[in-house]
Amino acid sequence: MAVPSKYASNVKKALGSLRRSNNEGLRWRMLDDAKGQVLGRLASQIATVVQGKDKPTYTPNREEGDMCIVVNAKDICVTGRKLTDKTYYWHTGYVGHLKERSLKDQMEKDPTEVIRKAVLRMLPRNKLRNDRDRKLRIYAGSDHPFGDLPLEPCGMPPILEPYEMPPRQVRELRPRARRAMIRAEKKLELQSQGNTDNRKSKKKEEEAEISG
């Protein structure tokens, strides 16, 4: 398969990291669609896959993570007001040259860097961090060059395994909070009933005055 020129550097980085790391049990995990996924939850799952924490052979001082390919990075979403309130800072090295960019502007410029920075800040800061970064391939659209790419270290094409995001676990309300919510709902119902009763009584009084 002829790799497009725009993906050539990404392929070289991925293959370079594979040559330096342990390829025994290496899997290619494919996150088919990041559309609608929350940034923080998505990054935490990617960090788990890249470190190999979902394997029974996980060891903190060894690099046994899997390759992770993420597509449609431009369609991720965030909660709250992070799109306008979250800001990225960097310094150019010159005096007074502290630069900043909002999450919205960064999504328009390069959405892949948003996911990459979120994942890197979840990884331990040690010598394995760079190799784990090279095992993460993020693409803004649905195109990627790893479909039929032959790998030199193992001599066989990768088998892309689909990775499904785990279902979101919603924590149940505590008993005290549940009772408070029930009381608030009942209070609103009583207030609405009282408003309707007052309206009916006022209407009857007006009709009686008109008839009298």
Side-chain angles (χ1 to χ4, degrees), residues 155-186:
M156 59 184 298
I159 300 175
L160 301 181
E161 300 180 7
Y163 180 78
E164 296 182 359
M165 290 285 292
R168 186 174 183 181
Q169 297 180 356
V170 181
R171 187 176 61 181
E172 295 183 359
L173 290 175
R174 295 179 179 178
R176 182 179 297 178
R178 188 183 296 109
R179 289 194 296 269
M181 186 180 67
I182 293 172
R183 286 196 300 268
E185 291 177 354
K186 289 183 178 179

Side-chain angles (χ1 to χ4, degrees), residues 19-164:
R19 294 188 189 99
R20 289 192 298 270
S21 60
N22 182 19
N23 298 326
E24 184 179 356
L26 179 71
R27 295 182 297 177
W28 290 69
R29 313 297 294 276
M30 179 72 180
L31 204 150
D32 296 331
D33 196 359
K35 184 177 181 180
Q37 298 290 344
V38 180
L39 176 60
R41 296 185 65 248
L42 178 65
S44 63
Q45 295 299 321
I46 294 174
T48 301
V49 173
V50 171
Q51 294 179 79
K53 280 192 170 182
D54 55 344
K55 294 182 177 180
T57 58
Y58 168 72
T59 309
N61 63 338
R62 294 181 60 187
E63 177 50 41
E64 296 182 350
D66 296 329
M67 291 289 297
C68 186
I69 303 171
V70 184
V71 295
N72 294 327
K74 61 182 180 180
D75 297 326
I76 60 173
C77 63
V78 292
T79 58
R81 301 179 181 176
K82 297 185 183 67
L83 199 62
T84 55
D85 292 352
K86 185 176 176 61
T87 308
Y88 295 97
Y89 296 94
W90 73 97
H91 202 282
T92 61
Y94 293 93
V95 177
H97 281 240
L98 178 64
K99 304 293 183 179
E100 63 179 28
R101 184 181 295 152
S102 65
L103 177 59
K104 183 178 181 180
D105 296 338
Q106 183 64 39
M107 287 292 295
E108 295 175 356
K109 182 177 178 62
D110 188 7
T112 61
E113 282 299 313
V114 175
I115 300 179
R116 184 177 306 282
K117 289 181 179 180
V119 174
L120 284 181
R121 291 168 184 176
M122 293 182 182
L123 297 178
R125 291 170 174 81
N126 52 25
K127 294 182 179 180
L128 303 178
R129 192 183 186 191
N130 291 335
D131 290 341
R132 289 168 176 171
D133 180 28
R134 293 188 184 97
K135 286 188 174 183
L136 174 60
R137 301 290 96 197
I138 308 172
Y139 300 96
S142 57
D143 298 331
H144 62 90
F146 294 102
D148 300 322
L149 178 68
L151 295 181
E152 296 178 2
C154 57
M156 59 184 298
I159 300 175
L160 301 181
E161 300 180 7
Y163 180 78
E164 296 182 359

